[in-house]
Amino acid sequence: MQLIAESIRFSNPVPSPGEKVRIEAKISNADEEPCSFVAVFYWAPEIIMSPQQAAMYATPEYEIHRQDVELRGRESISISFEWEAKEGFKCVFFYAK
């Protein structure tokens, strides 16, 4: 399974703590084969630059949204949800589980 987060966009990229933000993510299956997974989105108080950093924040405390996804080969999906920004927010990332 080769997934690509083509974009993650925010209605306000610099929200105040407690402000509601709409997050839109486009995820693509770069493989020819269909796939099913759960897209789990997390927030972090720092910009994620390594798998080790991501692993620190991929916990229930930082989880903000999860969604079951099924994609055919070379297909994309847009996922949109609302989230209340937390104190110290710097980025959002996702894992496919």
Side-chain angles (χ1 to χ4, degrees):
M1 176 168 62
Q2 275 191 304
L3 298 174
I4 299 168
E6 290 187 26
S7 64
I8 298 179
R9 297 180 185 191
F10 304 86
S11 59
N12 178 358
V14 189
S16 299
E19 182 178 341
K20 295 218 183 266
V21 179
R22 173 135 312 268
I23 299 172
E24 295 181 17
K26 184 176 181 183
I27 301 171
S28 296
N29 177 4
D31 203 342
E32 295 291 334
E33 297 297 316
C35 63
S36 297
F37 60 94
V38 178
V40 184
F41 291 82
Y42 301 93
W43 74 279
E46 62 182 318
I47 303 299
I48 301 300
M49 302 293 284
S50 71
Q52 293 82 5
Q53 282 178 297
M56 284 179 19
Y57 299 108
T59 65
E61 177 184 356
Y62 292 97
E63 184 178 324
I64 58 176
H65 181 76
R66 68 174 45 223
Q67 184 170 325
D68 293 333
V69 177
E70 290 187 26
L71 292 174
R72 293 186 299 260
R74 304 282 182 204
E75 185 178 41
S76 297
I77 187 172
S78 292
I79 296 173
S80 181
F81 59 93
E82 198 169 83
W83 172 64
E84 189 174 301
K86 304 292 183 198
E87 182 72 40
F89 161 73
K90 296 284 190 251
C91 81
V92 167
F93 65 98
F94 92 99
Y95 272 122
K97 296 187 177 194

